């Protein structure tokens, strides 16, 4: 039976953000607000090509086309799974099937949590935890946990050769009605409020109860990488000149009061409009 997407997504062309490093985009309408949200993943066409997260089943056919236009399935050597959420692991089964030479970069915790939904091929797996390095032939990739995350299994991925950092769900921020591909296009107060909305309501509400000093030290672990570009699953790409601002905003998150989350009145309005 053909796969039926569960939610419509908006097509956005893949974009090369550094040499041989591509962000694979799709965009989804937010529920209950006139906002759009990126659902990104990444491909690095290095000596041993790697797919970084597998996007959402909502965009399966387009995503597979975009990825395999950039890299032949037989050439894919690695699949990095950042964590066990459906917008990151949504096409994992298809990718592992279509890429017979690929090894899955997971971890014990990721395997343990996600084994109810995916039959991990342990003989094709490698476990990479925070701080561990992976040699992919012409460069080293390092697993570095982002400052904010929504699963205990989350590891970001830093490419030491290009300086690109895959920050997973960190820096997530919706877009105000039209697709933008660079955070440079954000109005600064929208960026602050949008990031706060996502972090406090949808991603890491624990940020409001953290010890500030320990949070700052934890954040510094990825900030100290000195990334050249940050790609996040749910943000426009963050260019080098905005990375300090993005980290400053993230550092400020514990004390920012977010806009209110849509409540039952909003759901009633959605249902009323649809009736
Ligand atoms: Fe997530
Ligand atoms: Fe996500």
């Amino acid at each position: 039976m053909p796969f039926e997407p569960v939610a419509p997504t908006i097509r956005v062309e893949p974009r090369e953000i550094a040499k041989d490093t591509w962000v694979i985009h799709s965009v989804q309408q937010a529920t209950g607000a006139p906002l759009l949200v990126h659902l990104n993943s990444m491909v690095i066409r290095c000596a041993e090509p790697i797919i970084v997260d597998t996007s959402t089943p909502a965009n399966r056919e387009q995503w597979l086309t975009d990825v395999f236009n950039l890299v032949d399935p037989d050439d894919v050597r690695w699949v990095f799974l950042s964590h066990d959420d459906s917008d990151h692991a949504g096409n994992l089964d298809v990718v592992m099937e279509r890429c017979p030479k690929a090894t899955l970069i997971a971890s014990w915790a990721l395997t343990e949590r996600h084994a109810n939904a995916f039959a991990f091929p342990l003989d094709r797996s490698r476990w990479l935890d925070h701080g561990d390095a992976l040699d992919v032939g012409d460069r080293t990739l390092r697993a570095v946990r982002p400052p904010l995350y929504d699963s205990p299994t989350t590891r970001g991925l830093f490419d030491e050769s290009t300086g690109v950092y895959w920050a997973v769900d960190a820096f997530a921020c919706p877009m105000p009605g039209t697709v933008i591909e660079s955070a440079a296009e954000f109005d600064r107060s929208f960026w602050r409020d949008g990031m706060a909305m996502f972090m406090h309501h949808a991603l890491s509400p624990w940020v409001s109860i953290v010890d500030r000093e320990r949070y700052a030290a934890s954040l510094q672990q990825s900030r100290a990488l000195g990334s050249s570009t940050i790609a996040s699953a749910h943000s426009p790409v963050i260019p080098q000149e905005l990375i300090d601002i993005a980290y400053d905003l993230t550092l400020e998150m514990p004390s920012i009061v977010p806009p209110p989350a849509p409540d039952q009145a909003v759901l009633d309005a959605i249902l009323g409009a649809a009736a």
Side-chain angles (χ1 to χ4, degrees), residues 83 85 88 150 169:
H83 68 303
D85 275 351
H88 299 256
D150 64 3
D169 292 325

